[in-house]
Amino acid sequence: MSKRVLTTESGAPVADNQNSASAGIGGPLLLQDQHLLEKLARFNRERIPERVVHARGSGAYGYFEVTDDVTGFTHADFLNTVGKRTEVFLRFSTVADSLGGADAVRDPRGFAVKFYTEQGNYDLVGNNTPVFFIKDPIKFPDFIHSQKRDPFTGRQEPDNVWDFWAHSPEATHQVTWLMGDRGIPASYRHMNGYGSHTYQWTNAEGEAFFVKYHFKTNQGVRSLSSGQAAEIAGKNPNSHQTDLLQAIERGVNPSWTLHVQLMPAADAAEYRFNPFDVTKVWPHRDYPLQRVGRLVLDRNPDNVFAEVEQAAFSPNNFVPGIGPSPDKMLQGRLFAYADAHRYRLGVNHTLLAVNAPKATTARNYGRDGFMASNSTSQGRAAKNYEPNSYDGPAETGRALSAPLPVTGYTGTHEAPQHTKDDDFYQAGELYRLMSPEERSRLVANIAGGLAQVSRDDVIEKNLAHFHAAGPEYGRRVEEAVHALRED
């Protein structure tokens, strides 16, 4: 029996629901991809008023201080002097559950930093893992649907979770992270943060480098077992929020050391992994960590709703010296995050205190919309167009970052394959780095979820992924799943 044809909302057949249209293989994504934009725009409008993802969050203010000279790699003003401090706001979150969900659950954690720089706000939106489940944004709404509450049963369904992963072998690396010992942080203070995506730095001479961000917790990494987490979540669903609030109130200010990995732009084409694939890491032996500075949180918000729930982060908020890469997931988020905030908070959400620039002033020709105020009109006689003859704000003509070369034909392309690019090698490497005890806990966590799936074919597809990551990894997961299903 043939399947029904997938269509757009206007009824047109969809040719490719796995790959976004890009400018050549590996190039930036195209605004003309109506299917991608329609999926992301509709997805952003599925819930009101809480966030569709990352709804359950906590946050705090602090500062970032430069400790090491990185001016050879970027001309970003807030990084140009050792000892320079920039005010920041950091929002932590879980991903899948609603605003009323518990903190101590097995779920990736959002790690979003807003730097209030003198050249405008710079938002770095990442997670507590260096990788993600998928590599193309066209799959993001489907992925989140599979992880959220089922529309019929009203609960997260193992059948949905593992069925999506069965059809998405690139998720194997992140599943290994999530089901491992770091899958449930003991607190927000005791986890690392990562930019996850690949970004671009440009120095004053115009040289381009690709960069990955690593915020290493100075409190030490601490995590919870599944049993500990279940007990804590039952007793205090707000455990991580409470811990962060009380630590800062006591003056025990959490901090992270920022390191970066830097790749000369010329290295990208021949690197053994696709450097723009967010399901992959760059091994440190290839590109060692270089220290940049220290992030400290020292002030709690006065109003959680006004400052945490209304905080809006968008990865397209760049500053001179920092820009995007061809990372497909990043490219999709450049649109989707800002669009989500315009829907959820309104087009003037950037005027809210937590989102407004603090070290400079926003000057543009945006007008009116919901929650418009006098601050959006910029004076009785101010013109609302550009160019003009009335001394209004004008363009600089200076690009924020280096241009990205593009070649090839428009169309929906799979990501270019590098020499070591497959969906399983790095997942296997992560497994082999673990201690015997860590491996046992990982296997138990995977089997505990996978054994609940009702369809044998979905179980077999997932087992094939773990076998591909490594013979021992696959064998142990298979044995554990079969033992649980026979009980």
Side-chain angles (χ1 to χ4, degrees):
M1 178 176 164
S2 61
K3 289 188 176 182
R4 291 175 296 168
V5 173
L6 177 67
T7 74
T8 64
E9 292 184 24
S10 62
V14 173
D16 192 334
N17 194 43
Q18 309 303 314
N19 301 287
S20 301
S22 60
I25 297 175
L29 303 189
L30 299 174
L31 189 61
Q32 71 183 43
D33 189 346
Q34 180 258 355
H35 181 48
L36 169 66
L37 299 190
E38 180 180 86
K39 281 186 73 173
L40 294 179
R42 167 167 279 280
F43 177 70
N44 278 338
R45 289 161 173 79
E46 287 184 356
R47 301 289 185 273
I48 185 171
E50 74 177 32
R51 289 168 169 86
V52 179
V53 288
H54 297 277
R56 173 66 185 159
S58 302
Y61 294 94
Y63 62 87
F64 178 79
E65 181 178 6
V66 179
T67 58
D68 294 77
D69 182 10
V70 291
T71 55
F73 305 104
T74 178
H75 64 91
D77 180 76
F78 77 104
L79 298 175
N80 67 5
T81 305
V82 172
K84 188 169 188 175
R85 288 189 176 186
T86 299
E87 184 178 355
V88 302
F89 181 79
L90 199 160
R91 186 177 189 271
F92 306 96
S93 56
T94 53
V95 176
D97 212 344
S98 60
L99 185 58
D103 289 338
V105 294
R106 189 173 296 279
D107 198 21
R109 299 301 192 277
F111 192 98
V113 187
K114 187 181 294 290
F115 298 85
Y116 299 101
T117 89
E118 296 173 3
Q119 294 181 305
N121 291 351
Y122 171 46
D123 290 353
L124 183 59
V125 181
N127 287 322
N128 70 325
T129 58
V131 294
F132 196 60
F133 296 94
I134 54 175
K135 63 182 72 174
D136 195 298
I138 207 163
K139 300 179 71 172
F140 188 69
D142 300 301
F143 164 62
I144 295 299
H145 285 167
S146 75
Q147 310 296 302
K148 298 282 272 188
R149 296 174 186 267
D150 183 88
F152 174 67
T153 65
R155 66 184 187 185
Q156 189 183 58
E157 290 292 344
D159 277 1
N160 300 349
V161 171
W162 289 96
D163 185 39
F164 183 87
W165 288 343
H167 291 87
S168 305
E170 70 266 30
T172 308
H173 193 187
Q174 173 72 319
V175 170
T176 305
W177 272 92
L178 179 63
M179 297 298 174
D181 280 1
R182 296 193 181 188
I184 314 178
S187 79
Y188 289 132
R189 297 182 296 127
H190 294 93
M191 69 181 196
N192 294 335
Y194 301 88
S196 301
H197 296 291
T198 299
Y199 295 89
Q200 186 204 72
W201 276 7
T202 309
N203 66 18
E205 288 71 43
E207 293 178 286
F209 301 85
F210 293 117
V211 60
K212 282 187 175 290
Y213 295 86
H214 302 249
F215 291 87
K216 299 290 189 179
T217 176
N218 294 325
Q219 291 70 238
V221 172
R222 285 178 49 202
S223 303
L224 301 173
S225 68
S226 296
Q228 291 172 322
E231 182 178 357
I232 291 172
K235 290 181 177 178
N236 179 14
N238 305 304
S239 56
H240 289 30
Q241 161 70 17
T242 302
D243 175 85
L244 180 66
L245 174 75
Q246 293 182 348
I248 295 175
E249 290 297 294
R250 295 196 311 269
V252 182
N253 298 327
S255 66
W256 289 259
T257 299
L258 172 61
H259 298 80
V260 293
Q261 290 177 285
L262 291 161
M263 174 187 292
D267 288 8
E270 300 302 324
Y271 188 47
R272 57 195 174 120
F273 306 110
N274 179 356
F276 311 121
D277 180 351
V278 74
T279 69
K280 305 288 194 303
V281 297
W282 303 351
H284 293 181
R285 63 180 176 273
D286 295 345
Y287 296 97
L289 295 179
Q290 302 186 44
R291 193 176 66 176
V292 179
R294 186 171 65 118
L295 187 153
V296 179
L297 299 181
D298 59 7
R299 179 166 67 89
N300 284 310
D302 294 323
N303 184 301
V304 171
F305 175 79
E307 298 165 87
V308 179
E309 290 313 305
Q310 293 195 122
F313 299 83
S314 178
N316 64 5
N317 287 340
F318 292 113
V319 293
I322 304 176
S325 78
D327 179 334
K328 281 188 173 186
M329 280 299 296
L330 172 61
Q331 292 272 321
R333 283 174 166 152
L334 299 181
F335 161 76
Y337 274 61
D339 183 61
H341 301 317
R342 294 184 190 105
Y343 161 67
R344 195 174 70 89
L345 299 171
V347 72
N348 288 308
H349 67 274
T350 55
L351 301 179
L352 297 170
V354 70
N355 300 322
K358 296 183 183 296
T360 186
T361 301
R363 293 179 295 271
N364 55 62
Y365 296 92
R367 293 292 185 273
D368 305 333
F370 289 112
M371 302 299 290
S373 66
N374 287 339
S375 60
T376 63
S377 63
Q378 302 181 22
R380 292 175 60 191
K383 305 303 178 184
N384 65 341
Y385 58 88
E386 196 281 332
N388 62 60
S389 304
Y390 295 87
D391 199 30
E395 62 193 18
T396 67
R398 297 189 297 273
L400 269 64
S401 57
L404 297 171
V406 296
T407 59
Y409 296 94
T410 62
T412 56
H413 303 289
E414 292 187 9
Q417 289 292 302
H418 292 232
T419 56
K420 278 290 181 73
D421 264 344
D422 64 57
D423 294 322
F424 310 111
Y425 176 81
Q426 289 199 352
E429 286 288 273
L430 178 58
Y431 175 84
R432 289 182 283 274
L433 282 172
M434 295 178 179
S435 68
E437 294 78 13
E438 288 176 309
R439 294 181 190 182
S440 295
R441 290 189 290 268
L442 168 68
V443 168
N445 290 333
I446 293 173
L450 190 52
Q452 299 178 56
V453 174
S454 63
R455 290 182 49 159
D456 291 341
D457 62 322
V458 172
I459 293 175
E460 292 305 318
K461 285 179 181 176
N462 278 286
L463 291 176
H465 297 169
F466 300 118
H467 280 293
E472 178 190 310
Y473 191 4
R475 175 182 56 78
R476 293 187 62 182
V477 171
E478 182 170 4
E479 290 173 352
V481 169
H482 288 166
L484 288 172
R485 286 173 67 82
E486 289 171 359
D487 287 346

